[in-house]
Each structure stands twice: as structure tokens, then as C-alpha cells.
Amino acid sequence: MMRGNPIAYLTGMDEASLSVAQYEYYEKALHLDKNIFIQFLYYLKSLVDGTLGYSFKKQSYVAPLVLSRLRVTLLLVLPSAILAAILGLILGLRGAYNKNKCFERTLTPIMVVLNAIPLFLLSLLLIMTLSFSYKLFPYSGLGTGFLDRVYHLVLPVLAITLALLPSRYLLVRNMGSEKAKSKSVLYASQRGLRATTIRYSYILPEIISAYITNVGLSIGSGIAGSVIVEKIFSINGMGSLLNEAIFTLDYPLLQGILFISTLAMLIAVGLTNIFSFLIDPRERRRNA
């Protein structure tokens, strides 16, 4: 339980500046004249009817505010998550099968160093090099029109992709290197099969289920990363709205953003589990 007057917290108004009539109005509007169980039922009602509460600072229901920014955040998170997943899988499989060779010995230290760089620093480095030094891409805003928007999204998407990529690569490389020692892979190698065939026909089926599940679980990291990226690249997405809610102490809005973020992560995890079940016959046999 937070100390202080809940009316001041939820409305953002100074308690001393409230008249008696305003105080009574907000007390009734926020259901603070009811017991805590009834208040919780009103909150559940706001979830069921889709409003997610009311922001007195924005003078609007929370759901429209969040959903209007969610589309922008998804423009950052989804391409980044897909690119990082594909690149991590391709590079990780090659590193796993060519362990201790030149490719793996060069790429793995690079990924370890990249994994240690904070996202905000990575974003600033991209801006300094690709925007200020070489003037290849814009560093703020979303632009107008489809092609211009894609052009403006290159740097922020690249920043989140590079932040997510090392963990994907290291996961596939570690799982794949263990599977590369199996008898089936050694036998395929002795038969003279191509390295590409061995990677995608023998190693990939053994790790794909765990990899897809991990990708779904890390969607939350992409959403969290978008908060930083949106701030640095001046993009008005859900991350910037979260910053506004934190700095203005807009608790209903903050609560709604966290609810939507959690729901999006749960949906992503559920979809990846279903996809993993569909593509992996061992999962279907286990659940038969």
C-alpha cells in the first residue's frame, strides 16, 4: 500500500488545491468511498469493458491512449524480433557446426562484446556513425508515407536487432554444438553430406522447439528495449507514453501500459508454444 492520499496520486492534482466539492467528486469517481474489494471489482470491470481505467491527467480512457501508441511500438519490436531470430538461427547453426574454426572463433567474441553493450549506448553509436558521420539514415521521428517510414525505422530497428541478436546466436551455438556431437550428425558427416544439409536437416530439428520457445519468452525484452529506443530516436510509441506516465505519476495510465505489455508477452509466448507444437513431431507425440 502506498502512503499518501490516493486522490492526489490518481488525479495528479495537489491535495491542498482541491476544494471540498472536487475532493468529494473524485472520491466518488474513483470509488474510494467503497471498500477495497469493491474497488478491485471496478478494476476488473474496466478490464472486461476494455477501458482499462481513466487517466485524469490525459482526460481520456486508458485503452485508446495505449492502443494508439501500441501500433508504433510493434513497428519496432516485431521486425527486430524476427530479424534477430532469423539471423541468430543462421549464424548460430554455422557457429555450432564449425566450432573452434575461424568463423566461430571470430564471431563468438564479437557477440559476447555486443551482448555487454547497453542498448542506449548502442543506439547512440549507431546515430553517431550512420547519421552524423555518414548521413545515411535519419535519427528521429517516423517520417510520412510508407517508404519514408521504413527509411526512418532502419536505425531504431537495427539497434533493437543488434541488442537481441547475441543472445539468440549464443543460445543456438551452445545447443547446436552439443547436438553436433551426436552419432547421427557424425554419421551424416562421414557420409559426405554437405555442411548446409547437416546444419538444417540434422541439427536444426533437434533445437528448433526450444529456440522458438525462447524467442517467445524474450518478446518482453524487445518491448522493454523499445522504451529506450523510442526515447533516443524521438518516436511516439508506447515506450514514450510509459515515460510520460512515470514522470507525471499517472498511475492509471502506467497500470494500463504494464497490463497491455504483459498481455502482449503472454500472447507471444502462447503463439510460440503453439507453433513449436505444430512443427515438432516429438511435441505432438508427447502430448498424444
Side-chain angles (χ1 to χ4, degrees), residues 12 20 46-47 50 70 72-73 86 121 134 136 141 146 153 168 173 189 191 201 207 231 246 249 257 259 261-262 269:
V20 175
S46 72
L47 299 183
L70 180 61
V72 177
T73 297
I86 294 173
L121 181 58
Y134 294 100
L136 295 176
F146 176 75
L153 284 173
R168 306 282 195 276
R173 178 240 182 211
S189 179
R191 287 173 56 197
S201 298
I207 66 172
K231 186 70 175 176
I246 292 172
L249 300 179
I257 292 171
F259 175 79
S261 300
T262 304
V269 171

Side-chain angles (χ1 to χ4, degrees), residues 19-272:
S19 66
V20 175
Q22 286 177 315
Y23 189 92
E24 291 177 350
Y25 168 78
Y26 285 122
E27 185 180 37
K28 190 172 183 180
L30 294 168
H31 313 294
L32 296 174
D33 55 340
K34 308 289 194 304
N35 63 55
I36 194 169
F37 178 72
I38 300 298
Q39 292 177 36
F40 182 66
L41 290 180
Y42 273 109
Y43 171 68
L44 293 180
K45 178 178 177 295
S46 72
L47 299 183
V48 173
D49 62 23
T51 59
L52 302 182
Y54 189 83
S55 170
F56 287 92
K57 292 195 175 182
K58 296 283 188 181
Q59 295 293 307
S60 172
Y61 287 108
V62 170
L65 292 172
V66 177
L67 294 178
S68 65
R69 302 288 190 94
L70 180 61
R71 182 178 61 87
V72 177
T73 297
L74 292 179
L75 286 176
L76 295 176
V77 175
L78 290 182
S80 303
I82 293 171
L83 283 172
I86 294 173
L87 290 174
L89 188 64
I90 295 172
L91 297 175
L93 284 172
R94 184 169 180 182
Y97 188 63
N98 297 283
K99 193 173 181 180
N100 296 323
K101 292 185 179 180
C102 181
F103 177 84
E104 189 272 335
R105 292 170 68 178
T106 303
L107 186 59
T108 299
I110 293 174
M111 289 296 178
V112 171
V113 172
L114 188 60
N115 195 44
I117 301 177
L119 180 55
F120 77 90
L121 181 58
L122 188 60
S123 300
L124 292 175
L125 290 173
L126 289 175
I127 289 175
M128 288 183 347
T129 53
L130 298 181
S131 289
F132 292 164
S133 297
Y134 294 100
K135 304 185 185 305
L136 295 176
F137 301 104
Y139 60 87
S140 65
L142 280 178
T144 56
F146 176 75
L147 292 179
D148 191 38
R149 177 157 293 188
V150 171
Y151 184 52
H152 278 75
L153 284 173
V154 170
L155 279 188
V157 168
L158 180 60
I160 300 177
T161 301
L162 291 177
L164 296 175
L165 179 59
S167 60
R168 306 282 195 276
Y169 166 80
L170 293 171
L171 176 67
V172 175
R173 178 240 182 211
N174 292 336
M175 291 193 303
S177 61
E178 291 298 319
K179 299 301 180 182
K181 299 174 185 176
S182 65
K183 293 181 179 179
S184 60
V185 173
L186 293 175
Y187 178 64
S189 179
Q190 292 297 321
R191 287 173 56 197
L193 296 181
R194 294 187 306 167
T196 303
T197 303
I198 295 174
R199 289 199 298 267
Y200 292 101
S201 298
Y202 288 83
I203 299 177
L204 178 59
E206 296 292 328
I207 66 172
I208 189 62
S209 179
Y211 181 67
I212 291 175
T213 301
N214 180 269
V215 169
L217 290 172
S218 61
I219 291 295
S221 302
I223 295 176
S226 71
V227 175
I228 300 171
V229 169
E230 287 173 16
K231 186 70 175 176
I232 293 175
F233 290 94
S234 302
I235 296 173
N236 291 322
M238 202 162 66
S240 60
L241 189 64
L242 178 62
N243 278 323
E244 292 177 29
I246 292 172
F247 285 112
T248 60
L249 300 179
D250 192 342
Y251 291 102
L253 181 57
L254 180 61
Q255 189 172 253
I257 292 171
L258 295 178
F259 175 79
I260 292 294
S261 300
T262 304
L263 183 63
M265 187 173 66
L266 291 175
I267 292 173
V269 171
L271 290 176
T272 52

